[in-house]
Amino acid sequence: MTTNHPGTGTGEAIGDASSSTSLSLASVLAEPARRTPEALAVLEGRERVSYGELWEQVRGHAAALRGLGVATGDRVALVAPNVADFVRAYYAVQTLGAVVVPVPVLLVPEEAAHLVSDSGAKVILGHTSQLELARGCAERTGASLVTLGSRGSERSDDDPPSLTELAEDVEPVSHFVTRGPQDPAVIFYTSGTTGKPKGAILTHLNMVMNATVNAFDANDTSSSDWVLGCLPLFHVFGQTVSMNTTFRAGATLVLQPRFDPLQALELIREHGITHFNGVPTMYTRMLEVAPPEMRLPSLRLCISGGAALPVSVLERFNERFETQILEGYGLSETSPTATVNQPSIGTRAGTVGHPLWGIDVEIADPDSERIELLPRGSRGEVVVRGHNVFAGYLGNPEATRAALVDGWFRTGDIGVRDEDGFLSIVDRKKELIIRNGYNVYPREVEELLLEHPELAQVAVVGLPDSTRGEEICAVAVHATLSAGDTDQSVSDRVVEWAANRLAAHKYPRRVVFTDELPLGPSHKVLKRELRERIIREEQQASQN
């Protein structure tokens, strides 16, 4: 039996339904292509692609992939920055009913090879700007390398095939493959802050529903909106909240291949960007570089996620650009959005808002093996259930059983829901510092330290201490450094200042300065790396 799908053409069968109910992430792009083919879908530099053109290109890429042997259910690694070729390749894989394995372009080949080998990907789609990484990954895994984008004039017989060129010489497939709602669509690898990255399996239901509720329930997104896509598309935040949500609403996505704060501000002004999605470091950097006279009258909505946004940054950004930042919360395992401040329900600075439509978020006893929910106002582990919760960790049933308990996903984050239902994230359970037997949550200390005028960025970590178990250390970036000041003199002032504002077991006894905080692919501060670096430097100093 053949089935016609919206915007897919003749109904020629190229895949079998896994159940009588079908759902495909490819429909997120196919639907606006059918409804508004002339509308602008993607703008990247000088390249402007309408929905009709983009969908035709995607179907051509899918035909080329099929010619290379990619079939329904196969895993395909995608190594590309925020360019139009990422979009074409991503939806081409979905059109075939295959599974995308995004590879962060900031990884080294050894790290990327783990993702490819663990996922079982047999094909790597590598953008020409990332060929060194893609080649290194292919060499280490034996996967076939296929390039994306223009190869230029310098070519050799040893060049891998180009999907971009192959797609120009084949007849596009007529429609996307039917998939079941619970079939895998994307495998995202966790950041690895607590160990080796694990592959979180997100289904078509996860991805389509998260894009839908982000577009139409959490926010009032329309086809007239312009969204700046500077969050990495290889990360679940950028992929769902920027790319898929934009296309679900039939809006326009303006891509920035690599985030640059001043260029981002110029793009907002030049194109009349209405939506900006970012992580806290992006908001901080844009505040730092914005010319005093710059105004952004079109920017009406900003979403912040990925890490805790200091209230001071939120308030300064809102005032400076006359807009509204809505802070949200989620993880790779929750597609990602679980909660967000929603104007229709109410917003509250310093919180991550309420659960999205169809999602439950509660606080549970973090020390219980079962899910024991706690009353409002209690501090405990954030647990999530709903259409956004992933299907499990690829090839890791033990980790899956530990994460999915009694129908809930255990996030590992510590939070509180107040009487009005607003969720506040206190910290990562695994980043908890225990000093002299007292629990210290780095988020609380960081929030306070960011109020100090001499500090621009702060990350708080626990260092081993033979007497107290752990000692609190703040790693900071200078906001200003006056003539005659040294790192030590500023450190002394900050420690004294914090001691007058925090309990004795909470304030940092050390403040270490660095030029910049190390960030992971999703722009989260790599606290484990910071901690290990400080310990290593101390050991080296003691030996000299």
Side-chain angles (χ1 to χ4, degrees):
M1 182 179 73
T2 61
T3 305
N4 282 315
H5 293 279
T8 58
T10 65
E12 171 196 355
I14 57 174
D16 296 324
S18 59
S19 70
S20 58
T21 303
S22 65
L23 182 68
S24 173
L25 182 54
S27 64
V28 167
L29 180 61
E31 272 297 310
R34 177 176 72 88
R35 295 168 184 262
T36 56
E38 302 302 320
L40 182 61
V42 172
L43 187 153
E44 182 221 327
R46 296 182 178 179
E47 185 174 7
R48 301 170 67 94
V49 189
S50 71
Y51 274 101
E53 292 168 337
L54 182 58
W55 180 236
E56 183 176 6
Q57 293 166 0
V58 163
R59 291 185 292 115
H61 281 61
L65 279 175
R66 187 172 62 176
L68 292 171
V70 175
T72 301
D74 287 349
R75 288 89 184 248
V76 179
L78 178 52
V79 187
N82 286 20
V83 291
D85 283 308
F86 183 104
V87 179
R88 284 186 275 261
Y90 178 89
Y91 285 103
V93 174
Q94 297 299 334
T95 296
L96 287 184
V99 182
V100 174
V101 182
V103 177
V105 299
L106 300 181
L107 299 182
V108 299
E110 290 81 4
E111 294 171 314
H114 168 71
L115 274 59
V116 173
S117 60
D118 186 75
S119 68
K122 302 301 183 185
V123 175
I124 300 171
L125 301 180
H127 191 260
T128 51
S129 66
Q130 307 297 322
L131 276 187
E132 182 177 352
L133 173 60
R135 282 185 188 277
C137 191
E139 291 168 357
R140 288 166 172 79
T141 62
S144 300
L145 175 60
V146 181
T147 64
L148 299 169
S150 172
R151 292 192 292 183
S153 58
E154 295 184 7
R155 304 183 185 184
S156 70
D157 294 337
D158 296 330
D159 285 345
S162 165
L163 190 67
T164 304
E165 295 177 0
L166 290 173
E168 296 173 352
D169 298 326
V170 294
E171 183 71 21
V173 300
S174 60
H175 65 276
F176 55 79
V177 171
T178 298
R179 300 299 283 156
Q182 299 301 332
D183 285 333
V186 187
I187 299 174
F188 284 102
Y189 277 80
T190 59
S191 60
T193 55
T194 57
K196 209 168 187 62
K198 302 185 293 290
I201 304 171
L202 296 186
T203 67
H204 288 271
L205 178 68
N206 292 153
M207 299 296 284
V208 172
M209 282 300 297
N210 212 243
T212 300
V213 296
N214 267 295
F216 304 126
D217 292 285
N219 305 297
D220 185 17
T221 310
S222 73
S223 59
S224 62
D225 282 313
W226 287 58
V227 181
L228 182 57
C230 55
L231 282 168
L233 294 182
F234 55 69
H235 187 263
V236 65
F237 187 10
Q239 201 169 115
T240 293
V241 182
S242 290
M243 183 175 71
N244 290 335
T245 296
T246 299
F247 295 155
R248 181 66 182 86
T252 300
L253 181 65
V254 178
L255 290 173
Q256 185 183 28
R258 182 169 182 168
F259 177 71
D260 174 88
L262 187 56
Q263 184 191 50
L265 291 168
E266 292 293 348
L267 287 171
I268 292 171
R269 188 168 62 175
E270 178 184 356
H271 298 295
I273 299 296
T274 60
H275 286 30
F276 179 85
N277 306 309
V279 295
T281 51
M282 291 179 174
Y283 291 103
T284 300
R285 292 182 64 192
M286 287 194 292
L287 277 171
E288 292 172 346
V289 305
E293 71 282 356
M294 178 171 279
R295 296 291 177 265
L296 303 172
S298 64
L299 187 61
R300 63 180 177 84
L301 177 65
C302 300
I303 303 295
S304 179
L309 176 68
V311 174
S312 59
V313 174
L314 179 147
E315 292 175 342
R316 286 167 51 211
F317 196 94
N318 285 350
E319 180 180 1
R320 175 69 177 78
F321 297 115
E322 299 178 351
T323 187
Q324 183 180 32
I325 297 178
L326 302 176
E327 188 174 7
Y329 166 75
L331 306 92
S332 295
E333 294 90 340
T334 59
S335 305
T337 315
T339 71
V340 69
N341 277 275
Q342 302 165 57
S344 62
I345 300 176
T347 63
R348 185 168 297 172
T351 77
V352 291
H354 290 84
L356 272 67
W357 183 93
I359 296 170
D360 292 324
V361 177
E362 295 293 346
I363 304 299
D365 183 347
D367 299 318
S368 174
E369 292 184 0
R370 311 312 307 176
I371 298 298
E372 297 181 16
L373 300 182
L374 301 176
R376 292 288 171 88
S378 302
R379 175 179 287 186
E381 183 176 8
V382 180
V383 293
V384 182
R385 68 181 180 185
H387 52 70
N388 64 328
V389 174
F390 76 139
Y393 294 111
L394 181 67
N396 197 333
E398 183 178 348
T400 300
R401 285 192 297 270
L404 298 175
V405 180
D406 298 337
W408 295 85
F409 169 60
R410 306 192 74 149
T411 67
D413 290 326
I414 302 299
V416 178
R417 286 196 78 187
D418 64 22
E419 293 301 324
D420 295 323
F422 287 94
L423 175 67
S424 297
I425 302 300
V426 178
D427 224 313
R428 285 287 301 173
K429 184 168 67 174
K430 295 180 176 65
E431 288 179 359
L432 176 71
I433 300 171
I434 303 178
R435 184 184 187 276
N436 270 351
Y438 292 98
N439 291 350
V440 178
Y441 297 92
R443 164 81 186 271
E444 180 182 359
V445 182
E446 290 164 355
E447 284 276 359
L448 178 82
L449 293 178
L450 282 167
E451 295 178 10
H452 196 286
E454 294 179 279
L455 305 182
Q457 299 177 50
V458 179
V460 170
V461 298
L463 299 179
D465 186 276
S466 58
T467 303
R468 301 170 184 83
E470 286 184 290
E471 190 54 272
I472 300 162
C473 175
V475 186
V477 176
H478 286 291
T480 59
L481 189 61
S482 303
D485 266 334
T486 64
D487 285 355
Q488 187 59 53
S489 63
V490 177
S491 174
D492 292 342
R493 287 199 295 271
V494 171
V495 170
E496 182 180 1
W497 180 87
N500 291 325
R501 291 165 173 80
L502 287 169
H505 68 285
K506 292 182 179 180
Y507 77 87
R509 268 61 175 183
R510 292 185 59 190
V511 178
V512 177
F513 287 96
T514 184
D515 291 335
E516 59 182 6
L517 299 176
L519 303 177
S522 59
H523 289 265
K524 289 184 181 179
V525 177
L526 300 177
K527 291 188 176 181
R528 187 174 68 172
E529 180 178 317
L530 274 179
R531 185 176 183 271
E532 292 174 350
R533 187 174 77 189
I534 294 172
I535 292 172
R536 184 170 60 251
E537 290 173 352
E538 287 182 342
Q539 291 173 342
Q540 292 173 349
S542 65
Q543 294 170 358
N544 295 332

